[in-house]
Amino acid sequence: MFEIIKSVLLLLLGFVLLIKGADFFVDGSSSVAKRLKVPSIIIGLTIVAMGTSLPECAVSVTASISNNNALAISNAVGSNLFNLLVVCGCCSLFAPLSIKRDTLLKEFPLSILCAVLLLALGFFGNQLGTVDGIIFLLLFIGYIVWMIFSALKARKNTEQLQLENYKILPVWKCVLFIIGGGIAIKFGGDFVVDGASYIAQSFGLSQNLIGLTIVALGTSLPELVTSIVAARKKEVDMALGNVIGSNIFNILFVLGTAAAISPMAFVTENLIDIIILIAVSLIIYLFSWTGGKIKRSEGIIMLLLYAGFSVYICIR
């Protein structure tokens, strides 16, 4: 009984760290974007996405080192599904998620292609091997270089941008907010996962099910909280960029690193989950093309889809 109470307190502490950490992280990142005259979507796709994906990275790499590779794959795929359906769905309830044409033509299709590549490797090779992991990491480096050039191009095109109406934090405070917020997000995610996992085990849930649900949900909480905070602060570009960037990061860097450490075998359930991820990505991509935004009604549909997916993985 004492351990359960301890786990509940750990869970609550984790939520507090996530919420406050995300608040600082968004403020710091937003100020960096405005100070450098870089669009928020670029910051969301890079700094924010990588910062909020620290829990997925930590869980998957640890799982790979301990040869518990099934957890690494299910965590990454489950987190990406959560990001698309729950994070985007919840954000659209606060404010319609407007999506720029460049994002629809470039970054969003790239995230879908990453999932397709993961499916192809899993289907034809039955595993994500060391060479595959290195290829993923090289693709990730290419993605970062692309983002840097995009940022430089965007900065050049916005030299005349007037920033007098924005509150820009001092450089030292931006750095403090981003690093401090990232640390709080990381430990908050760890506390939530540890607390929730112990509670789940106490009720007799399997490790595989915990990996697909509790751990995937817990490691995606930073994305959820950060994106909701960004949406409430009217930084909708950063909210969407966070989700898309995190999904790309989870496949190319997180699974790439885990596979480079130790080859990961695919099981039928993994392939089915990746197919569901691709289908969900295409549905949301279709939503995004209708009016260039994800509306509240579409957000509710996305949340219902995730509820259906949760029921499916619990009964299969």
Side-chain angles (χ1 to χ4, degrees):
M1 186 64 184
F2 173 76
E3 288 297 325
I4 292 181
I5 293 174
K6 179 182 174 182
S7 297
V8 171
L9 292 175
L10 198 64
L11 199 64
L12 294 175
L13 176 60
F15 279 125
V16 172
L17 287 174
L18 280 172
I19 292 169
K20 295 309 297 179
D23 205 5
F24 287 131
F25 200 85
V26 169
D27 283 345
S29 301
S30 180
S31 286
V32 167
K34 294 178 176 67
R35 182 175 291 277
L36 297 178
K37 299 179 182 178
V38 173
S40 294
I41 185 73
I42 300 292
I43 299 296
L45 283 162
T46 52
I47 298 174
V48 179
M50 288 186 280
T52 55
S53 289
L54 284 174
E56 284 95 334
C57 190
V59 169
S60 293
V61 170
T62 301
S64 180
I65 292 173
S66 61
N67 290 319
N68 190 13
N69 293 327
L71 179 61
I73 296 173
S74 62
N75 174 43
V77 175
S79 294
N80 282 13
L81 279 165
F82 185 90
N83 287 346
L84 286 169
L85 294 175
V86 179
V87 176
C88 285
C90 286
C91 286
S92 67
L93 299 182
F94 290 94
L97 283 181
S98 299
I99 302 168
K100 287 184 168 59
R101 186 174 178 81
D102 273 359
T103 304
L104 287 173
L105 293 175
K106 297 175 183 177
E107 290 88 10
F108 208 140
L110 176 61
S111 70
I112 298 174
L113 285 175
C114 288
V116 171
L117 179 59
L118 182 63
L119 176 65
L121 290 172
F123 182 78
F124 292 108
N126 292 321
Q127 70 168 2
L128 197 65
T130 303
V131 174
D132 299 326
I134 293 172
I135 291 172
F136 271 23
L137 290 174
L138 290 175
L139 288 173
F140 178 73
I141 292 172
Y143 166 72
I144 293 299
V145 171
W146 177 34
M147 285 295 102
I148 291 172
F149 277 107
S150 296
L152 292 174
K153 182 180 177 181
R155 184 178 181 181
K156 184 181 294 184
N157 292 337
T158 55
E159 285 297 328
Q160 304 303 318
L161 186 63
Q162 298 298 316
L163 298 175
E164 287 83 358
N165 294 328
Y166 293 100
K167 178 185 176 184
I168 302 178
L169 299 173
V171 174
W172 69 268
K173 191 171 283 189
C174 289
V175 174
L176 181 64
F177 276 23
I178 291 173
I179 295 177
I183 292 172
I185 287 169
K186 193 273 178 190
F187 283 103
D190 285 348
F191 291 162
V192 168
V193 170
D194 291 344
S197 295
Y198 183 84
I199 294 170
Q201 286 177 325
S202 299
F203 287 94
L205 299 179
S206 69
Q207 284 292 333
N208 188 47
L209 182 59
I210 291 171
L212 280 167
T213 53
I214 303 295
V215 177
L217 184 151
T219 55
S220 290
L221 281 175
E223 284 91 342
L224 175 62
V225 179
T226 302
S227 292
I228 288 177
V229 170
R232 293 188 66 180
K233 291 176 181 289
K234 308 302 179 185
E235 292 282 359
V236 290
D237 281 352
M238 186 178 291
L240 183 66
N242 177 31
V243 168
I244 296 174
S246 292
N247 283 11
I248 294 171
F249 185 85
N250 286 345
I251 293 178
L252 294 184
F253 183 81
V254 174
L255 288 184
T257 302
I261 294 171
S262 174
M264 296 183 291
F266 276 79
V267 295
T268 304
E269 286 80 5
N270 293 142
L271 296 176
I272 293 172
D273 292 338
I274 297 171
I275 291 172
I276 292 173
L277 172 61
I278 294 170
V280 163
S281 299
L282 291 173
I283 290 171
I284 297 175
Y285 191 58
L286 181 63
F287 284 167
S288 303
W289 273 105
T290 56
K293 65 178 65 176
I294 298 175
K295 300 187 288 288
R296 180 176 295 178
S297 58
E298 292 167 337
I300 293 172
I301 292 173
M302 289 153 63
L303 292 172
L304 291 174
L305 285 174
Y306 187 79
F309 172 72
S310 299
V311 171
Y312 160 69
I313 58 176
C314 286
I315 65 177
R316 73 179 178 186

